Amino acid sequence: EAGVAQSPRYKIIEKRQSVAFWCNPISGHATLYWYQQILGQGPKLLIQFQNNGVVDDSQLPKDRFSAERLKGVDSTLKIQPAKLEDSAVYLCASSFLLYPEQYFGPGTRLTVT
Amino acid sequence: GENVEQHPSTLSVQEGDSAVIKCTYSDSASNYFPWYKQELGKRPQLIIDIRSNVGEKKDQRIAVTLNKTAKHFSLHITETQPEDSAVYFCAATGTDSWGKLQFGAGTQVVVTP
């Protein structure tokens, strides 16, 4: 069974530039999550989608972060403009609808210089 | 919202000994408690989970216990092996915030041969 796919795996940008991350969830998983994991900390939920609708984006810094999940499958997370404190690993996870078990992708390590 | 505290932050054990990691949560409505293992540079991997209607769950060398009254849950690893070395995260969520996992800060486990 294929797992959650993410790309790119690594990205280095300068502050004030923009960046986008892509996620393809496990087939059949209606719920998709984006997490931010700062070095030495646990993942923090940024946004949760159910199919193509947003369930929770209360911790998403909406002045610079945006996310979409067109057609209820793949998702993209964008940061514009990036700040130094956005340096982190961005993890995508997915789960079956109404099931709590979440499965993570390999993440994208973002470095903002 | 939910707050999860995890102890210890680092744990060094001799191969073959047992390891115990403890987490406390604040929201009495939380009813799902997963544990993730994250090796360096890898994705968080779901290793075991427990729901609030169960007090204990085992899977080979790992077990999780839950005390709803005290609002704490623990991960037990027996007969530790070098491949158990990783960062372990506990998390909690409830049905009113289904999917919004609140993670602990993580425990770095080092198993020395």
Side-chain angles (χ1 to χ4, degrees):
Chain A
E1 176 183 305
V4 177
Q6 289 187 248
S7 68
R9 293 296 312 278
Y10 306 92
K11 190 75 177 178
I12 301 174
I13 62 172
E14 295 182 351
K15 59 183 179 183
R16 291 188 290 274
Q17 286 187 323
S18 62
V19 64
F21 313 126
W22 173 83
C23 172
N24 178 247
I26 293 172
S27 178
H29 281 193
T31 309
L32 185 147
Y33 314 81
W34 283 102
Y35 288 86
Q36 180 192 58
Q37 186 176 25
I38 293 172
L39 187 65
Q41 300 181 18
K44 183 185 85 171
L45 180 69
L46 293 175
I47 188 166
Q48 176 185 351
F49 291 95
Q50 193 164 291
N51 293 309
N52 60 351
V54 175
V55 174
D56 187 336
D57 63 357
S58 58
Q59 299 190 97
L60 186 73
K62 299 181 187 63
D63 57 334
R64 298 184 300 106
F65 286 64
S66 64
E68 60 181 11
R69 192 184 183 198
L70 301 177
K71 301 181 182 178
V73 182
D74 293 3
S75 177
T76 55
L77 176 70
K78 297 179 181 178
I79 308 175
Q80 181 180 9
K83 292 185 175 182
L84 295 176
E85 58 261 37
D86 297 332
S87 293
V89 175
Y90 290 84
L91 294 161
C92 179
S94 67
S95 67
F96 283 114
L97 189 64
L98 302 182
Y99 281 74
E101 296 86 353
Q102 296 182 27
Y103 298 92
F104 283 83
T108 297
R109 181 175 297 279
L110 173 67
T111 302
V112 181
T113 61
Chain B
E2 176 65 275
N3 182 50
V4 176
E5 295 190 357
Q6 183 172 348
H7 300 280
S9 57
T10 58
L11 181 59
S12 184
V13 295
Q14 203 75 14
E15 182 177 359
D17 288 350
S18 296
V20 181
I21 304 169
K22 297 182 179 180
C23 289
T24 59
Y25 60 98
S26 61
D27 188 351
S28 56
S30 290
N31 59 4
Y32 174 68
F33 308 91
W35 286 89
Y36 285 85
K37 175 184 180 182
Q38 188 173 30
E39 296 176 70
L40 190 63
K42 301 279 184 68
R43 72 186 73 198
Q45 182 183 8
L46 179 64
I47 56 171
I48 197 168
D49 55 13
I50 193 167
R51 304 199 186 203
S52 59
N53 58 346
V54 175
E56 183 175 1
K57 184 177 179 181
K58 290 183 181 179
D59 183 3
Q60 299 182 357
R61 296 187 297 107
I62 60 173
V64 57
T65 58
L66 172 65
N67 183 325
K68 284 192 299 181
T69 303
K71 291 192 282 188
H72 67 70
F73 56 112
S74 301
L75 178 71
H76 304 252
I77 308 173
T78 58
E79 300 173 22
T80 53
Q81 301 169 4
E83 52 264 39
D84 294 328
S85 296
V87 178
Y88 291 80
F89 292 97
C90 62
T93 189
T95 50
D96 61 338
S97 59
W98 203 238
K100 187 174 182 177
L101 287 176
Q102 184 66 43
F103 282 84
T107 297
Q108 175 76 60
V109 173
V110 177
V111 180
T112 53

